[in-house]
Amino acid sequence: MRNTIKKSLFAAAVLFLFENNSAQIFSDFKYKGNDKIYAENPLKDDEFYSPILQGCYPDPSITRKGNDYYLVNSSFAMFPGVPIFHSNDLVNWKQIGHVLDRPSQLKVDKAGFSEGIYAPDIKYNKFNDTFYMVTTQIAGGIGNMIVKTKDPKKGWSEVQKLNFEGIDPSIFFDDNRKAYIVHNDAPPKGTEQYSGHRVIKIWEYDLEKDQVVAGSDQIIVNGGVDITQKPIWIEGPHLYKKDGKYFLMCAEGGTGGNHSEVIFMSDSPKGPFVPAGNNPILTQRYFPKDRKDKVDWAGHADLVETPDGKYYGVFLAIRSNEKNRVNTGRETFILPVDWSGTYPVFQNGLVPMKPKLKMPMGVKNQTNENGFFPNGNFTFNDNLKNSQLDYRWIAMRGARENFITTTKNGLKINPFSTNIKAKAPVSALFQRQQHSSFEAMVSLDFKPKSKKDLAGITCYQSENFNYVFGITKKDKDFYIVLERTEKGSSTTVSSEKILMSKNIQLQVVANGDEYQFNYSMDGKDFNNLGGKVSGDILSTDVAGGFTGSLIGLYATSSNDSKW
């Protein structure tokens, strides 16, 4: 009897919460890319597009075991962190998950969007059949860290904090079984010569203790290729060995318009390292700013050798829109590398880059097919009813599972009492903006109970720069509202009273710098709210930081929009 009463009380409580909770159901999400560059450059059978990962997938690092390639990217405050991709041919890539997928590994709950995970490096050690991922976590007091696994498809270890300062660590396994870590750091105290002066350090690494060897550190590059020219931000180092020589490849010039990749050579992993005479070996900084199909900011590269002895390099670069806005962020590009001479050379990496590359021999382009990641002008449809979310859906500063529930009707978001401007976990499910011009639409079943309740779409560059397009309530009436937040200050662009039926379709249409926010009550005829608005606040050059814009399905019980 007592158990029966308890069950009845519990059921009543659940029903009360359900009926009094303003949770909303999102369904039938559609995203479609409409970039002119792909329409004007259709692929032939022996071609593929670069970037291979469109949207905010910066700082790529790559490794190989046998015929399997693995690639990772920076993820900042996104959760889960460090997306990881697998390929057997360098053209067709599948996302197999995230390296940092547990709260114990990723402490970004109080991080700004451009904090968190910087510049991960992935490497395979053939001597112990183990993969290592080393990165800097600028959050949670962690700093430089390393995780490892025998199989990247089966999860990674807990975090091992590394005992050194600086950023951008990478690991190198020598053929004598020794290991080293190289990274960016500040010059010794009192020796800084100019703003942006940095150094590259190397440490011996103890594979048994998974820790750098205390006292083994030394500077192997001071400033950059030529310190008399005051080069800035030597960073993103990677160490390689070929034909008995050691090669140190680094980014130089800052991750903007002067970005480049440079290389040094030595007889020892600890130097002295001598810069190549033909540096940089990759850059786009020398060309007219109004060039067609412009690729810019190229650098932060990593190399991989194929089983047949060829080389390829992955790197970040950007493609700005007609107003030079960088809304899609830093993307992952690839080029073949000629290493038949002393130094590696990125093929066509020192001329204006083209959108298409020749396919490696014997490879068939399967992008956007058979589970492979899409590129070009693709369409992504998700009814949001599957219990297993697509890997491209991510949250901000905390696990998705903390606020989502999958139902037979779609994805239920249980709103947090934080809104999109909080430097805290927010109840929003994001995917990256992957085109300059696109359409994104979602169906929403939601009836807010108060002005504090809001649900809809957000276009999000950071907690301080974003648009929110959603449904809320004022007195007894329902309203659709468009809010713009710039430098943390919000203004209502437009609002309109609506009569709520069961579902409303929300749509954002971008054409370069122009964004439009539309809604439909019948799924056929769309009404615009607020006219054409600028995408300036969604661009890195306006908002700052290192990320691209995200498109989010968003809900909050702490709406503060005013109109």
Side-chain angles (χ1 to χ4, degrees), residues 326-373:
V326 190
N327 296 28
T328 48
R330 296 159 171 85
E331 306 175 287
T332 291
F333 289 71
I334 193 169
L335 280 175
V337 173
D338 182 353
W339 207 340
S340 58
T342 302
Y343 295 100
V345 177
F346 284 78
Q347 294 183 33
N348 295 319
L350 294 172
V351 297
M353 291 181 189
K354 305 296 183 184
K356 302 189 296 183
L357 299 175
K358 288 294 182 182
M359 198 82 71
M361 188 69 67
V363 176
K364 178 184 177 183
N365 194 335
Q366 300 181 70
T367 54
N368 210 22
E369 300 175 6
N370 304 316
F372 289 104
F373 211 67

Side-chain angles (χ1 to χ4, degrees), residues 537-555:
I537 59 170
L538 304 176
S539 170
T540 304
D541 71 311
V542 173
F546 305 104
T547 64
S549 182
L550 307 179
I551 303 162
L553 313 179
Y554 166 55

Side-chain angles (χ1 to χ4, degrees), residues 11-73:
V14 170
L15 181 62
F16 176 83
L17 288 171
F18 179 80
E19 290 179 344
N20 289 274
N21 187 352
S22 59
Q24 39 282 313
I25 303 294
F26 292 88
S27 61
D28 300 318
F29 178 82
K30 298 178 181 178
Y31 174 93
K32 181 181 180 182
N34 299 311
D35 282 352
K36 184 186 297 185
I37 189 171
Y38 295 118
E40 294 179 347
N41 293 276
L43 291 175
K44 298 178 182 177
D45 289 342
D46 63 344
E47 295 175 330
F48 70 104
Y49 288 125
S50 183
I52 50 174
L53 301 180
Q54 295 168 214
C56 181
Y57 292 100
D59 307 330
S61 177
I62 191 169
T63 196
R64 177 180 64 86
K65 176 187 177 183
N67 293 317
D68 295 295
Y69 299 92
Y70 297 92
L71 185 152
V72 295
N73 300 96

Side-chain angles (χ1 to χ4, degrees), residues 9-167:
L9 289 172
F10 177 76
V14 170
L15 181 62
F16 176 83
L17 288 171
F18 179 80
E19 290 179 344
N20 289 274
N21 187 352
S22 59
Q24 39 282 313
I25 303 294
F26 292 88
S27 61
D28 300 318
F29 178 82
K30 298 178 181 178
Y31 174 93
K32 181 181 180 182
N34 299 311
D35 282 352
K36 184 186 297 185
I37 189 171
Y38 295 118
E40 294 179 347
N41 293 276
L43 291 175
K44 298 178 182 177
D45 289 342
D46 63 344
E47 295 175 330
F48 70 104
Y49 288 125
S50 183
I52 50 174
L53 301 180
Q54 295 168 214
C56 181
Y57 292 100
D59 307 330
S61 177
I62 191 169
T63 196
R64 177 180 64 86
K65 176 187 177 183
N67 293 317
D68 295 295
Y69 299 92
Y70 297 92
L71 185 152
V72 295
N73 300 96
S74 291
S75 55
F76 307 102
M78 302 177 204
F79 199 110
V82 188
I84 181 167
F85 298 85
H86 170 264
S87 177
N88 291 119
D89 53 29
L90 297 171
V91 173
N92 303 297
W93 293 88
K94 284 185 181 180
Q95 187 170 0
I96 58 173
H98 293 81
V99 175
L100 305 178
D101 58 6
R102 304 188 297 278
S104 59
Q105 298 170 308
L106 194 55
K107 307 288 187 181
V108 292
D109 55 303
K110 297 178 182 178
F113 189 13
S114 282
E115 296 172 342
I117 297 296
Y118 280 29
D121 170 74
I122 186 170
K123 290 295 174 286
Y124 174 66
N125 184 1
K126 65 182 180 181
F127 295 113
N128 62 4
D129 189 29
T130 301
F131 292 85
Y132 293 77
M133 194 284 294
V134 57
T135 188
T136 310
Q137 185 168 167
I138 302 178
I142 293 176
N144 293 303
M145 51 158 282
I146 197 165
V147 293
K148 60 184 182 179
T149 185
K150 293 288 186 180
D151 185 348
K153 298 178 182 178
K154 294 182 178 179
W156 293 72
S157 70
E158 291 299 322
V159 166
Q160 169 72 24
K161 182 176 168 61
L162 298 175
N163 297 330
F164 59 87
E165 301 298 320
I167 60 170

Side-chain angles (χ1 to χ4, degrees), residues 108-354:
V108 292
D109 55 303
K110 297 178 182 178
F113 189 13
S114 282
E115 296 172 342
I117 297 296
Y118 280 29
D121 170 74
I122 186 170
K123 290 295 174 286
Y124 174 66
N125 184 1
K126 65 182 180 181
F127 295 113
N128 62 4
D129 189 29
T130 301
F131 292 85
Y132 293 77
M133 194 284 294
V134 57
T135 188
T136 310
Q137 185 168 167
I138 302 178
I142 293 176
N144 293 303
M145 51 158 282
I146 197 165
V147 293
K148 60 184 182 179
T149 185
K150 293 288 186 180
D151 185 348
K153 298 178 182 178
K154 294 182 178 179
W156 293 72
S157 70
E158 291 299 322
V159 166
Q160 169 72 24
K161 182 176 168 61
L162 298 175
N163 297 330
F164 59 87
E165 301 298 320
I167 60 170
D168 292 10
S170 68
I171 195 163
F172 168 70
F173 304 107
D174 207 343
D175 49 21
N176 61 3
R177 297 178 180 263
K178 289 186 177 181
Y180 302 88
I181 281 184
V182 291
H183 67 98
N184 161 303
D185 206 348
K189 190 174 182 179
T191 67
E192 183 178 9
Q193 299 184 29
Y194 52 88
S195 178
H197 177 195
R198 303 290 288 182
V199 303
I200 301 298
K201 279 186 178 179
I202 189 168
W203 296 76
E204 296 176 16
Y205 188 78
D206 187 328
L207 289 165
E208 295 298 321
K209 296 179 180 178
D210 274 322
Q211 189 57 260
V212 291
V213 176
S216 66
D217 59 308
Q218 63 184 72
I219 294 172
I220 52 176
V221 172
N222 184 14
V225 169
D226 182 356
I227 197 170
T228 66
Q229 300 301 307
K230 298 184 178 181
I232 62 169
W233 284 99
I234 190 79
E235 60 187 346
H238 293 284
L239 196 57
Y240 311 95
K241 191 175 186 180
K242 186 175 186 292
D243 300 332
K245 300 288 187 180
Y246 295 86
F247 295 84
L248 178 70
M249 191 172 74
C250 306
E252 187 184 272
T255 183
N258 204 43
H259 207 198
S260 70
E261 198 71 14
V262 296
I263 197 155
F264 308 78
M265 185 174 67
S266 176
D267 293 322
S268 164
K270 293 191 173 184
F273 279 91
V274 178
N278 62 333
N279 277 316
I281 59 173
L282 168 70
T283 192
Q284 293 289 285
R285 67 191 180 201
Y286 299 124
F287 313 119
K289 293 187 181 300
D290 60 351
R291 61 190 183 275
K292 182 176 171 57
D293 299 338
K294 180 172 69 174
V295 175
D296 214 349
W297 302 9
H300 202 113
D302 196 9
L303 303 178
V304 68
E305 184 181 8
T306 67
D308 58 356
K310 294 184 174 65
Y311 284 86
Y312 281 81
V314 292
F315 56 96
L316 71 77
I318 61 101
R319 298 176 297 166
S320 54
N321 66 24
E322 77 284 357
K323 291 192 175 180
N324 286 317
R325 305 298 188 201
V326 190
N327 296 28
T328 48
R330 296 159 171 85
E331 306 175 287
T332 291
F333 289 71
I334 193 169
L335 280 175
V337 173
D338 182 353
W339 207 340
S340 58
T342 302
Y343 295 100
V345 177
F346 284 78
Q347 294 183 33
N348 295 319
L350 294 172
V351 297
M353 291 181 189
K354 305 296 183 184

